[in-house]
Structure formats: structure tokens, C-alpha cells
Amino acid sequence: MRSAVAQVGSTKVAVVGTGAWGVVVASQIASQGREVTLVARTHEEAALLSSTRQSPRVPGLALPDTLHVSADRQGVISEASIVVMVVPAQSMRRNFSLVSRDLSPGAVVVSAAKGLEIATGLRMTEVIASFTGTDHPICALSGPNLAAEIAVGKPASSVVACADDLAGQLVQAILTTPSWRIYRHHDVIGVELGGAFKNVIALAIGIAEGLEAGENAKAALVTRGLAEMSRLGQALGGEALTFAGLAGLGDLVATCSSPLSRNRTIGLRLARGERLAELIGSSGSVPEGVPTTRAALQVASRMGVELPITALLGEVIDGTLDPRVAGARLLGRRAVRERVEETAPPSDSPIG
């Protein structure tokens, strides 16, 4: 295999998913003159995006002239060296079952979805691997990735994790732009779990915001949420330091602090008395934090890991526990020694 950097110029990229994040990822790649095609669901959608050069999901973003849009999934996927899956976590299996049939030999698959499959508790790269086995390198893209900010060129950093470092280098080179810095990592489990679990804590932060619990309470939720994320991640085989990086703490801070975060917004509205079913009905989709909360609890039970914040959040989103009661229960838990060794890096360990 040639060096990853040497392959960049001849690499064809397919981005599957025309949601906001899919459009932004495809546009970022195309902005650097790469050959990239956005795979639309229908010929009508492809024709609309191609003719208007705009997506209703990303207002104000003009699609680069070099970005192609096509509904010919089979033709696009069969020619692509890199396939980026940017679909909701709960539909990854259905979507990739179609894509997997047409992958070219050795093509690299990148998951840009953040969540756990509710039926199995699997991470997205595990769902993908259930179709590909070891025939294709599989990467996970995660980090503080607010699509609206990256779309307008605000500075951002993300991380791509892959067990195959050459494949990781190739994806890193393809995604990097002057305003979007991509780091490389080997801990796929930690990177994926961080990206999925931060949506759970963002829901809790939204609830705290809606209850006007204050900055101290939100800081405690973020910190202890990070501890829960790290405990579960390490039980699954992830590394502690990963959760102090972009895919852990970085994504957690961005998602919990930004009004652009859909999970945080849903939590806030739950605290104000709105029903989850009504919120989902009005938006037409389920925020990733909801099924991931349920999936994380199933996985934690299987692994014997305690997730007190997540457990109470599960009762809140199921409608069996009032948010105010959940907060009181957290405060009423038995006082113990704080364990920070799970998430804090050594004092001489640089992070950057």
C-alpha cells in the first residue's frame, strides 16, 4: 500500500447522508478540491441540491462547485475509495446494509454518527463491521463538531480514530481544511463512546438549565457525566486519556454549552413540562441522546458499571420521574470520595 498522503490526490470520496452534518462534511472535503459526491436519498433531492447549490438543512451554505450530488448510490459507492456514513445512529444498520453491497475492494469506511444502537448496544463501527468483517478499514470521526459553525469556517478540531494507521492518515488528510483541524487516534472505542455519551449528558444539562439549577449544578453534571462516560468506556476497552481529549471532554463541553445542541434543547424543554413524544412529533426525529441513554444503561448493566446520572435521566425521558425529583435524588446520594483518576491525565502529559 502506498503512503496515505500519496493517495490523497486520486481519492474519490462518497458521503452518505444529506442531513446538516453530511452536507457540511461533504462541502468541507470539496472545498479543498477533492473529488467528492454527496449521496442523496432520491433523484428529486439530488436534482434540487444540484440545481439550487443549497441545502434547506444548512441555510446560507453555498455548496462548492466541485461537490457532486447523486442518487445513484451503487455507482457512486463502487467507485469510492472512502465512504463516509453520516446518518442517524439508529438507521446506520439499515443504510449500511445497502451501501455494503457495492463497496470497492479495500475502501475505507468512516462513521460520522454519534450514538449506540438501541437494539444491541453496539457502537457504529461495530455495526459497520458486522457487514464488512475485516475486509475494510473502519474509522470513527468525532469531537466538538457543531455543524453550523464548521459550515461558516469557524475554527474547529475533530479526531478520527482507526486501528489501521495508514487509513487513519488518509482520512485525516482528506478531511483537514485551513479551519478544520483533524487529529488522529488509535482508540476507536473511546472516541466513539465519548461521541455517543456526550449526548446523554447534554440532555441532563438541558434539564438542569430548564430548572434554573445554576452554574454550579451544571458544572457538577458535566464533571460527573465525564466520569460516567470514562467508567463505561474503560469497561468496554477504551483508554482513560481518550476521555480527556477532543472526543470526550471537548465534545462534552461544546454540546453541553451551546444553544445549537439539539439534545441540550430537548432536555431544557422536558424540564419545562413538555412531553418527549410531543417534542419528537413536532421535530419529526428522535435526538440521539434518547436512544443512547437507553442503550448505555443496557450496556452498563451487562458490564456491571454504575451510571447514576444516566439511570435517573432514563426515568425522566420515559416519563416515570419528575426532573426535580431526579435532581434531589442525585444530591441525596451517599457522599463518597471523588474519583478523578479515571479522567484526569498525568500532570506531565500534554493534551493537544
Side-chain angles (χ1 to χ4, degrees):
M1 184 177 184
R2 291 178 298 163
S3 74
V5 175
Q7 295 183 69
V8 171
S10 58
T11 298
K12 292 184 177 180
V13 183
V15 176
V16 180
T18 54
W21 187 221
V23 170
V24 169
V25 169
S27 296
Q28 287 291 304
I29 299 171
S31 71
Q32 301 306 297
R34 314 291 188 207
E35 189 169 356
V36 56
T37 301
L38 182 63
V39 180
R41 287 165 288 190
T42 66
H43 291 288
E44 291 75 16
E45 183 183 40
L48 180 64
L49 291 172
S50 296
S51 61
T52 63
R53 308 308 299 173
Q54 291 194 350
S55 166
R57 296 182 175 87
V58 194
L61 174 64
L63 303 186
D65 293 338
T66 52
L67 174 60
H68 307 290
V69 186
S70 174
D72 177 17
R73 184 191 65 247
Q74 182 177 9
V76 173
I77 298 300
S78 64
E79 295 183 357
S81 303
I82 298 177
V83 177
V84 187
M85 299 297 300
V86 198
V87 298
Q90 304 313 312
S91 66
M92 177 65 81
R93 183 175 297 276
R94 181 176 72 253
N95 280 282
F96 194 72
S97 68
L98 301 174
V99 169
S100 63
R101 306 168 187 172
D102 304 310
L103 289 172
S104 63
V108 179
V109 182
V110 182
S111 167
K114 297 178 179 180
L116 301 176
E117 188 176 48
I118 190 167
T120 62
L122 293 177
R123 294 173 286 106
M124 294 301 99
T125 61
E126 292 178 304
V127 173
I128 292 169
S130 70
F131 292 93
T132 65
T134 58
D135 294 339
H136 298 269
I138 305 172
C139 303
L141 174 67
S142 196
N145 310 142
L146 294 169
E149 293 189 357
I150 294 177
V152 296
K154 292 187 177 181
S157 294
S158 302
V159 58
V160 60
C162 190
D164 182 329
D165 196 52
L166 279 178
Q169 287 180 50
L170 178 60
V171 174
Q172 179 185 38
I174 289 291
L175 291 175
T176 296
T177 74
S179 60
W180 192 20
R181 182 180 176 86
I182 307 297
Y183 288 82
R184 202 167 68 254
H185 211 299
H186 63 275
D187 182 11
V188 178
I189 295 173
V191 166
E192 277 196 287
L193 200 282
F197 205 95
K198 59 91 182 187
N199 286 326
V200 175
I201 304 306
L203 281 170
I205 287 294
I207 291 173
E209 182 76 22
L211 296 176
E212 299 182 354
E215 300 304 319
N216 291 331
K218 288 187 289 183
L221 274 175
V222 168
T223 306
R224 298 317 303 164
L226 181 61
E228 290 193 16
M229 176 194 296
S230 180
R231 276 202 300 276
L232 184 59
Q234 289 179 77
L236 293 172
E239 300 174 10
L241 277 176
T242 303
F243 301 98
L246 287 168
L249 180 60
D251 205 359
L252 191 61
V253 169
T255 309
C256 289
S257 62
S258 173
L260 298 174
S261 165
R262 186 158 174 257
N263 287 281
R264 178 180 178 274
T265 299
I266 290 291
L268 188 150
R269 295 177 68 178
L270 283 174
R272 292 176 177 171
E274 296 183 60
R275 299 279 185 178
L276 181 61
E278 296 169 355
L279 294 174
I280 293 173
S282 63
S283 67
S285 61
V286 181
E288 294 285 16
V290 173
T292 297
T293 296
R294 293 166 176 153
L297 289 172
Q298 294 169 19
V299 174
S301 176
R302 186 169 69 241
M303 303 298 295
V305 176
E306 186 182 23
L307 305 177
I309 296 173
T310 311
L312 289 172
L313 180 61
E315 294 184 60
V316 171
I317 63 178
D318 284 342
T320 58
L321 183 65
D322 183 273
R324 293 184 184 276
V325 177
R329 283 193 190 174
L330 275 178
L331 289 173
R333 282 172 54 81
R334 181 174 62 89
V336 297
R337 182 188 297 274
E338 182 184 29
R339 292 177 293 172
V340 297
E341 70 276 2
E342 295 164 323
T343 55
S347 59
D348 60 349
S349 175
I351 295 183

